Amino acid sequence: MPKQTLANLTSSDLAGKKVLVRVDFNVPQDATGAITDDTRIRAALPTIQHLTNAGAKVILTSHLGRPKGVTESLRLDPIATRLAELLGQPVVKCDDCIGDDVAAKVSNLGNGGVALLENVRFYPEEEKNDPEFARKLALVADMYVNDAFGTAHRAHASTEGVTKYLSPSVAGFLLDKELQYLSGAIDSPKRPLAAIVGGSKVSSKIGVIEALLGKVDKLLLGGGMIFTFYKARGLAVGKSLVEEDKLDLARSLEAMAKERGVQFLLPTDVVVADDFKPDANSQTVSINGIPDGWMGLDIGPDSVKVFQDALADCQTVIWNGPMGVFEFDKFAVGTEAIAHTLAGLTGKGAITIIGGGDSVAAVEKVGVAEQMSHISTGGGASLELLEGKVLPGIAALNDA
Ligand code: ADP
Ligand code: MG
């Protein structure tokens, strides 16, 4: 069901309104509290500036880290400072997220003013989606915008509970972009549509693979999970990662692909190592030749070529899960090659979408993030969306 977005509202819907905006300012910080990467703050600027330009009073709420109660090092003051610099206007920092002091500060905001509430997870009620806490959060506002995709798969007070008390509740620009790419590209894709799924375990990707098998034209598998598929086919896999209790599942997924006419591709060669270490001895072998005692940590050069050929005519490519242990440079080659391949496809007009925390990190490490159509900001949330799940933070928004 399409959701109402900020773009559907006019300036007169927004002028003078107090708008509670759930953002994701969960930024990395060093030991002194300095922000080491402000990407997430910058990513929220279009929504914030759209609201301030329309004359709304913007009340921002976010979590930071995993506090157990009030935690001095996880206050949002450094974020308020950085946000004020980026916006070029003052940001009123509140030292709580509910209560009289917040109400007083918000009522002093002029049209176009911005306030930032304190870390919403200082209250355990946030993650419990406590209705009374949600009501108190909502009390200072007239309407709600959710622009925090990364927490949309959690029914928390600031993502789901508040929508019961604020109307309208709409998607911000960042959230809307995630929905357009992750749902849109899958439900009405430009075809051929390919998915590349990798990562460590097949068990963590069953839902994604099953859901994608109903949508894609081609499914390419890499990462640690391929060894469960190899073993299911009767191949020797040495010490590679295998989930013994998922062999039947691997067989049935392969059968499902065949039934649905999905081209199902496993790597044809792998890079094996004699230890799970960055400087382990390694060799490239055909999948029929994995030596005893060795473990597969990357896809090989022939597989890269096979994958490139399969992807060449694709108009949409979704990638989740690295092809190998990309954290070790020696075993990052396959992942790097696929990242460059996707960058090239984007250049030729294909839509390329990267979802999943480690996959995004890999693409960023390779330096081609800018060359992808869409890099999802939500690891867990993007996976759940790809699985076809309903995300509570999105379901709670007003229908378009
Ligand atoms: P994402 O976060 O993108 O969804 P995952 O969390 O599923 O991805 O998987 C990422 C992890 O998979 C990485 O830490 C990587 O080292 C690991 N991995 C990839 N290939 C292998 C392999 N052959 N053996 C063991 N681990 C692997
Ligand atoms: Mg991960």
Side-chain angles (χ1 to χ4, degrees):
M1 178 69 86
K3 293 296 174 181
Q4 209 170 325
T5 76
L6 201 47
N8 302 134
L9 302 177
T10 64
S11 289
S12 63
D13 294 329
L14 299 169
K17 291 277 166 60
K18 287 174 281 180
V19 186
L20 183 69
V21 186
R22 177 56 157 102
V23 285
D24 179 3
F25 286 167
N26 186 29
V27 292
Q29 290 170 288
D30 67 16
T32 70
I35 296 164
T36 52
D37 180 357
D38 65 3
T39 307
R40 285 179 170 166
I41 305 176
R42 283 186 284 108
L45 295 178
T47 288
I48 298 171
Q49 285 170 326
H50 180 85
L51 289 166
T52 55
N53 289 340
K57 302 170 183 182
V58 181
I59 309 154
L60 301 166
T61 179
S62 176
H63 75 282
L64 175 63
R66 298 171 181 275
K68 299 260 175 288
V70 176
T71 307
E72 289 306 320
S73 61
L74 291 174
R75 287 194 180 274
L76 301 194
D77 296 69
I79 294 171
T81 307
R82 185 80 194 100
L83 177 63
E85 286 164 14
L86 290 167
L87 286 173
Q89 74 173 80
V91 170
V92 178
K93 167 69 186 20
C94 303
D95 294 327
D96 204 333
C97 60
I98 55 173
D100 292 342
D101 181 58
V102 173
K105 286 196 162 118
V106 168
S107 72
N108 281 334
L109 280 183
N111 288 359
V114 177
L116 175 63
L117 306 183
E118 189 52 276
N119 192 341
V120 71
R121 286 198 190 162
F122 283 178
Y123 288 86
E125 290 91 336
E126 158 69 357
E127 291 183 87
K128 290 184 189 135
N129 198 9
D130 180 81
E132 183 52 21
F133 177 70
R135 192 187 64 80
K136 287 180 185 160
L137 257 183
L139 211 54
V140 291
D142 305 310
M143 56 170 284
Y144 176 70
V145 174
N146 190 345
D147 215 17
F149 179 67
T151 48
H153 59 315
R154 304 274 180 248
H156 292 168
S158 68
T159 62
E160 202 270 348
V162 288
T163 64
K164 309 256 190 327
Y165 305 98
L166 296 170
S167 179
S169 291
V170 306
F173 295 126
L174 206 60
L175 187 68
D176 187 41
K177 183 170 182 256
E178 293 278 6
L179 295 178
Q180 274 178 34
Y181 277 98
L182 292 170
S183 309
I186 291 171
D187 293 334
S188 47
K190 286 204 289 169
R191 292 186 183 272
L193 163 65
I196 310 168
V197 181
S200 51
K201 292 181 174 173
V202 64
S203 56
S204 66
K205 300 292 165 79
I206 298 168
V208 178
I209 295 174
E210 281 177 344
L212 289 172
L213 278 176
K215 314 263 184 185
V216 300
D217 302 300
K218 309 182 189 198
L219 179 67
L220 286 56
L221 296 185
M225 70 173 67
I226 58 174
F227 301 101
T228 301
F229 285 89
Y230 289 156
K231 181 134 193 204
R233 284 182 177 184
L235 295 172
V237 296
K239 281 204 300 189
S240 305
L241 189 67
V242 168
E243 290 174 276
E244 297 287 347
D245 60 333
K246 295 291 179 286
L247 297 176
D248 285 341
L249 173 89
R251 281 182 211 106
S252 75
L253 289 173
E254 227 184 309
M256 196 192 292
K258 204 165 176 191
E259 228 165 74
R260 300 196 170 165
V262 174
Q263 194 183 340
F264 182 89
L265 288 175
L266 285 170
T268 49
D269 60 349
V270 289
V271 181
V272 294
D274 61 357
D275 203 352
F276 191 84
K277 280 194 179 143
D279 56 354
N281 293 308
S282 67
Q283 53 177 316
T284 300
V285 297
S286 136
I287 58 159
N288 306 308
I290 299 177
D292 261 2
W294 290 61
M295 62 187 84
L297 297 186
D298 196 7
I299 63 172
D302 188 63
S303 310
V304 168
K305 188 140 189 327
V306 170
F307 282 11
Q308 284 170 336
D309 288 346
L311 294 169
D313 67 338
C314 290
Q315 295 300 303
T316 310
V317 183
I318 300 159
W319 183 13
N320 167 255
M323 296 292 96
V325 182
F326 74 99
E327 296 91 336
F328 301 162
D329 286 346
K330 202 168 177 177
F331 305 104
V333 180
T335 301
E336 283 166 9
I338 296 301
H340 285 294
T341 303
L342 262 58
L345 288 172
T346 324
K348 287 195 218 138
I351 292 172
T352 50
I353 300 159
I354 317 297
D358 292 293
S359 316
V360 171
V363 166
E364 281 170 350
K365 189 177 171 199
V366 178
V368 292
E370 301 294 316
Q371 294 170 62
M372 302 298 168
S373 310
H374 182 64
I375 295 269
S376 178
T377 54
S382 64
L383 278 184
E384 291 198 16
L385 209 57
L386 290 178
E387 287 175 42
K389 287 191 185 157
V390 173
L391 310 192
I394 292 165
L397 303 176
N398 288 51
D399 294 329

